[in-house]
Amino acid sequence: MNTKDKGFHTKLVHAGARKDPSGSVVTPIYQTSTFAFDNTQVGADRFAGKADGFIYTRIGNPTIRALEDCVAELEDGVGGVATSSGMGAVTTVCLALLARDEHVLSTASVYGPSRTLMEKHLGKFGVSSSFVDTSDLDAVREAFRENTRLVYIETPSNPMMQITDIAAVARLAHEHGALLAVDSTFASPYLQKPLTLGADVVLHSVTKFINGHADVVGGILVALDPVIYRRLRETMVITGCNMDPHQAFLVHRGIKTLALRIERAQESAIKIANWIETRPEVTWVRYSGLPSHPQHELASRQMRGPGAVISFELKGGLEAGKSLMNNIRLAALAVSLGGVESLIEHPASMTHAGMGREGRLSAGITDGLVRYSVGIEDVDDLIEDLRQGLAAEQPVPTDPI
Ligand code: LCS
């Protein structure tokens, strides 16, 4: 079905769906590694790009293509490239758009492994990187180098929930001869559309909101320009970080309810963020829906809504963080976010423990920082869960005997 001129919710349900000979309403799982050709000419034409049709699942597959077409349409791009994980998408965009002796400029509080990829792994191949607070446009302006070819931002950023002005950074990047890639995982295409604001590439860890059910790891990239799209696809195919058909089927199923899930979780998140802000145990809350958020006004302009992830700082530091983690009952003590189930995590003792205290503090990740991904449970139950978790006086011992 051609959904190009349809509304966002219609696209969520129908975009990308492929007409199936059996009449199947959903695109089936083409669980195959390879596709047979009728004769050598057909094979030759497909390899030469002169004929439509699939060749080999690493290169393309109908179930994966259905998801790619869907997200490309939701993001207003020319084409999507699905990857094995969100990190597969980050790796693909960096390898596709950077070369030796070039520089990538990124967000200081970018997702840790994305920073490690740029600093450590690309550094081995002669790509330099620097990291600034991209919510500060003067800092971005000053950080350009003669060889900056890619600006890679994450907005909202994980876990500090900083918001970067996509349109302003896109202008700066283009003025300096660089491309802009935006990790929009925390927003999803429902809340933010970077390509319509001037970005060249948008990427997601679909593990989060797009799939939404905590049962798949995956990623996706969407480009605005056909040449960049082809570079991304070629890099994904060569590095072999393709999505699997079964993964793609689940993500394409999950995406149909993206707007419903986010609306519901966001409604609860607004109530929870306001509630947390009143708590005596809490120093500050970072949630762009609150007027106290430093980029509240920008977020209101750039995003359809503030989303469903809240970060807050506990006055009691590391011990208070551990105590909350060990006493929470309903929200799962787990990394990741964006699913129907609420998840809570304490970066200092969990995801960012390996960075060391100094490294964490320089990225703004304080000892008492807690990240809460609000799910679609009853909001009263979630608030009650947090209330009893915060009220618990003693950390529960976790050491195994
Ligand atoms: N980008 C962002 C903003 C992320 O939060 C993550 C994962 C990735 C990329 C990588 O995606 P993945 O390969 O895991 O699909 N964030 C995680 C987190 O906050 N906790 O666990 C994973």
PDB file of all heavy atoms in Angstrom, residues 63-75:
ATOM      1  N   THR A  63      11.590  -9.358   4.541  1.00  0.00           N
ATOM      2  CA  THR A  63      11.090  -9.010   5.882  1.00  0.00           C
ATOM      3  C   THR A  63      11.866  -7.816   6.438  1.00  0.00           C
ATOM      4  O   THR A  63      11.297  -6.905   7.055  1.00  0.00           O
ATOM      5  CB  THR A  63      11.223 -10.209   6.853  1.00  0.00           C
ATOM      6  OG1 THR A  63      10.790 -11.385   6.191  1.00  0.00           O
ATOM      7  CG2 THR A  63      10.415  -9.992   8.108  1.00  0.00           C
ATOM      8  N   ILE A  64      13.166  -7.832   6.177  1.00  0.00           N
ATOM      9  CA  ILE A  64      14.000  -6.723   6.660  1.00  0.00           C
ATOM     10  C   ILE A  64      13.671  -5.457   5.864  1.00  0.00           C
ATOM     11  O   ILE A  64      13.540  -4.370   6.422  1.00  0.00           O
ATOM     12  CB  ILE A  64      15.503  -7.085   6.530  1.00  0.00           C
ATOM     13  CG1 ILE A  64      15.814  -8.362   7.306  1.00  0.00           C
ATOM     14  CG2 ILE A  64      16.382  -5.934   7.017  1.00  0.00           C
ATOM     15  CD1 ILE A  64      17.216  -8.932   7.050  1.00  0.00           C
ATOM     16  N   ARG A  65      13.475  -5.626   4.545  1.00  0.00           N
ATOM     17  CA  ARG A  65      13.183  -4.468   3.700  1.00  0.00           C
ATOM     18  C   ARG A  65      11.857  -3.806   4.118  1.00  0.00           C
ATOM     19  O   ARG A  65      11.727  -2.583   4.100  1.00  0.00           O
ATOM     20  CB  ARG A  65      13.134  -4.895   2.227  1.00  0.00           C
ATOM     21  CG  ARG A  65      12.975  -3.779   1.202  1.00  0.00           C
ATOM     22  CD  ARG A  65      14.099  -2.764   1.268  1.00  0.00           C
ATOM     23  NE  ARG A  65      15.438  -3.347   1.253  1.00  0.00           N
ATOM     24  CZ  ARG A  65      16.081  -3.784   0.166  1.00  0.00           C
ATOM     25  NH1 ARG A  65      15.514  -3.687  -1.019  1.00  0.00           N
ATOM     26  NH2 ARG A  65      17.294  -4.288   0.255  1.00  0.00           N
ATOM     27  N   ALA A  66      10.902  -4.610   4.541  1.00  0.00           N
ATOM     28  CA  ALA A  66       9.609  -4.054   4.964  1.00  0.00           C
ATOM     29  C   ALA A  66       9.816  -3.092   6.142  1.00  0.00           C
ATOM     30  O   ALA A  66       9.270  -1.988   6.173  1.00  0.00           O
ATOM     31  CB  ALA A  66       8.653  -5.177   5.351  1.00  0.00           C
ATOM     32  N   LEU A  67      10.645  -3.502   7.092  1.00  0.00           N
ATOM     33  CA  LEU A  67      10.928  -2.635   8.244  1.00  0.00           C
ATOM     34  C   LEU A  67      11.708  -1.406   7.799  1.00  0.00           C
ATOM     35  O   LEU A  67      11.422  -0.277   8.226  1.00  0.00           O
ATOM     36  CB  LEU A  67      11.713  -3.416   9.302  1.00  0.00           C
ATOM     37  CG  LEU A  67      12.203  -2.565  10.475  1.00  0.00           C
ATOM     38  CD1 LEU A  67      11.017  -2.094  11.321  1.00  0.00           C
ATOM     39  CD2 LEU A  67      13.205  -3.343  11.331  1.00  0.00           C
ATOM     40  N   GLU A  68      12.695  -1.612   6.940  1.00  0.00           N
ATOM     41  CA  GLU A  68      13.527  -0.485   6.471  1.00  0.00           C
ATOM     42  C   GLU A  68      12.653   0.554   5.751  1.00  0.00           C
ATOM     43  O   GLU A  68      12.803   1.765   5.967  1.00  0.00           O
ATOM     44  CB  GLU A  68      14.632  -0.990   5.532  1.00  0.00           C
ATOM     45  CG  GLU A  68      15.683  -1.816   6.254  1.00  0.00           C
ATOM     46  CD  GLU A  68      16.676  -2.508   5.324  1.00  0.00           C
ATOM     47  OE1 GLU A  68      16.321  -2.803   4.154  1.00  0.00           O
ATOM     48  OE2 GLU A  68      17.801  -2.793   5.763  1.00  0.00           O
ATOM     49  N   ASP A  69      11.749   0.066   4.912  1.00  0.00           N
ATOM     50  CA  ASP A  69      10.875   0.999   4.175  1.00  0.00           C
ATOM     51  C   ASP A  69       9.950   1.746   5.135  1.00  0.00           C
ATOM     52  O   ASP A  69       9.674   2.934   4.969  1.00  0.00           O
ATOM     53  CB  ASP A  69      10.045   0.236   3.135  1.00  0.00           C
ATOM     54  CG  ASP A  69      10.901  -0.266   1.974  1.00  0.00           C
ATOM     55  OD1 ASP A  69      12.074   0.150   1.884  1.00  0.00           O
ATOM     56  OD2 ASP A  69      10.403  -1.083   1.171  1.00  0.00           O
ATOM     57  N   CYS A  70       9.477   1.025   6.147  1.00  0.00           N
ATOM     58  CA  CYS A  70       8.576   1.641   7.123  1.00  0.00           C
ATOM     59  C   CYS A  70       9.280   2.783   7.860  1.00  0.00           C
ATOM     60  O   CYS A  70       8.779   3.912   7.920  1.00  0.00           O
ATOM     61  CB  CYS A  70       8.104   0.560   8.102  1.00  0.00           C
ATOM     62  SG  CYS A  70       7.125   1.201   9.462  1.00  0.00           S
ATOM     63  N   VAL A  71      10.452   2.508   8.412  1.00  0.00           N
ATOM     64  CA  VAL A  71      11.133   3.537   9.214  1.00  0.00           C
ATOM     65  C   VAL A  71      11.612   4.680   8.319  1.00  0.00           C
ATOM     66  O   VAL A  71      11.553   5.854   8.703  1.00  0.00           O
ATOM     67  CB  VAL A  71      12.281   2.930  10.063  1.00  0.00           C
ATOM     68  CG1 VAL A  71      12.973   4.010  10.891  1.00  0.00           C
ATOM     69  CG2 VAL A  71      11.742   1.844  10.985  1.00  0.00           C
ATOM     70  N   ALA A  72      12.036   4.355   7.090  1.00  0.00           N
ATOM     71  CA  ALA A  72      12.464   5.417   6.166  1.00  0.00           C
ATOM     72  C   ALA A  72      11.298   6.374   5.917  1.00  0.00           C
ATOM     73  O   ALA A  72      11.475   7.599   5.883  1.00  0.00           O
ATOM     74  CB  ALA A  72      12.957   4.818   4.859  1.00  0.00           C
ATOM     75  N   GLU A  73      10.114   5.817   5.765  1.00  0.00           N
ATOM     76  CA  GLU A  73       8.951   6.671   5.527  1.00  0.00           C
ATOM     77  C   GLU A  73       8.596   7.495   6.770  1.00  0.00           C
ATOM     78  O   GLU A  73       8.305   8.685   6.677  1.00  0.00           O
ATOM     79  CB  GLU A  73       7.763   5.794   5.117  1.00  0.00           C
ATOM     80  CG  GLU A  73       6.887   6.479   4.107  1.00  0.00           C
ATOM     81  CD  GLU A  73       5.789   5.589   3.589  1.00  0.00           C
ATOM     82  OE1 GLU A  73       6.072   4.693   2.785  1.00  0.00           O
ATOM     83  OE2 GLU A  73       4.653   5.799   4.018  1.00  0.00           O
ATOM     84  N   LEU A  74       8.682   6.871   7.931  1.00  0.00           N
ATOM     85  CA  LEU A  74       8.368   7.591   9.173  1.00  0.00           C
ATOM     86  C   LEU A  74       9.339   8.747   9.402  1.00  0.00           C
ATOM     87  O   LEU A  74       8.979   9.774   9.959  1.00  0.00           O
ATOM     88  CB  LEU A  74       8.444   6.642  10.377  1.00  0.00           C
ATOM     89  CG  LEU A  74       7.410   5.522  10.417  1.00  0.00           C
ATOM     90  CD1 LEU A  74       7.722   4.550  11.533  1.00  0.00           C
ATOM     91  CD2 LEU A  74       6.006   6.084  10.579  1.00  0.00           C
ATOM     92  N   GLU A  75      10.590   8.566   8.954  1.00  0.00           N
ATOM     93  CA  GLU A  75      11.618   9.594   9.171  1.00  0.00           C
ATOM     94  C   GLU A  75      11.723  10.572   8.008  1.00  0.00           C
ATOM     95  O   GLU A  75      12.580  11.446   8.022  1.00  0.00           O
ATOM     96  CB  GLU A  75      12.993   8.941   9.404  1.00  0.00           C
ATOM     97  CG  GLU A  75      13.137   8.194  10.731  1.00  0.00           C
ATOM     98  CD  GLU A  75      13.316   9.137  11.927  1.00  0.00           C
ATOM     99  OE1 GLU A  75      13.159  10.351  11.785  1.00  0.00           O
ATOM    100  OE2 GLU A  75      13.607   8.619  13.025  1.00  0.00           O
TER     101      GLU A  75
END
